[in-house]
Amino acid sequence: MAVDFITTNPSVLLNDFKKRIKQDEQEGKITTWDLDSDGDVTHKAEQWKSKAWMRPQVKDGKLTFTVLNPKGKEVPPEVYGFYHGHLVATFITHFGAKISSAISSGKPTDEDRVKPRS
């Protein structure tokens, strides 16, 4: 795992997350994440933008986000930690009533891609 959001309907949670990123009105809009054409998200702040991506996966009873590295670059621990922490904060702020818990791994797992592929 990378970040798991335990929920009764992970597909709805993911769709709501994407809608909030794309919506025009400001109330409830998620302003700190960008969504790419593959459905992955990256942080918008200049310091963190495109340092990593988070890829969502709908699983039984949970919505999981794994880390993807930028092409040809590694994801250092401070970036891994920031992306995890900020994603969890975003979901608690916007969707706290829809999740029963959030679980974040302390270091990259087999599902995360933090190093360039050879």
Side-chain angles (χ1 to χ4, degrees), residues 18-31:
K18 289 179 178 181
K19 283 180 195 173
R20 293 265 187 110
I21 291 171
K22 294 188 235 178
Q23 75 184 32
D24 292 330
E25 65 272 6
Q26 287 303 308
E27 187 174 338
K29 180 173 176 62
I30 294 174
T31 59

Side-chain angles (χ1 to χ4, degrees), residues 5 11 17-19 25 40 55 58 62 84 92 101 106 117-118:
F5 297 101
S11 296
F17 177 61
K18 289 179 178 181
K19 283 180 195 173
E25 65 272 6
D40 303 325
R55 174 161 289 166
V58 172
K62 63 185 172 181
H84 276 229
I92 289 172
S101 63
R117 292 184 177 191
S118 36

Side-chain angles (χ1 to χ4, degrees), residues 1-5 14 17-18 21 33-36 38-43 50-57 63-70 75 79-88 91 103-105 111-114:
M1 107 191 123
V3 179
D4 282 340
F5 297 101
L14 177 57
F17 177 61
K18 289 179 178 181
I21 291 171
W33 293 97
D34 266 335
L35 186 64
D36 71 13
D38 293 326
D40 303 325
V41 294
T42 190
H43 202 273
S50 302
K51 300 284 184 184
W53 280 262
M54 301 291 285
R55 174 161 289 166
Q57 300 169 0
L63 174 59
T64 299
F65 284 82
T66 55
V67 173
L68 302 176
N69 62 303
V75 176
V79 172
Y80 188 86
F82 178 84
Y83 271 68
H84 276 229
H86 193 80
L87 189 67
V88 169
F91 271 78
I103 305 164
S104 176
S105 57
E111 293 182 33
D112 291 313
R113 281 197 345 228
V114 295

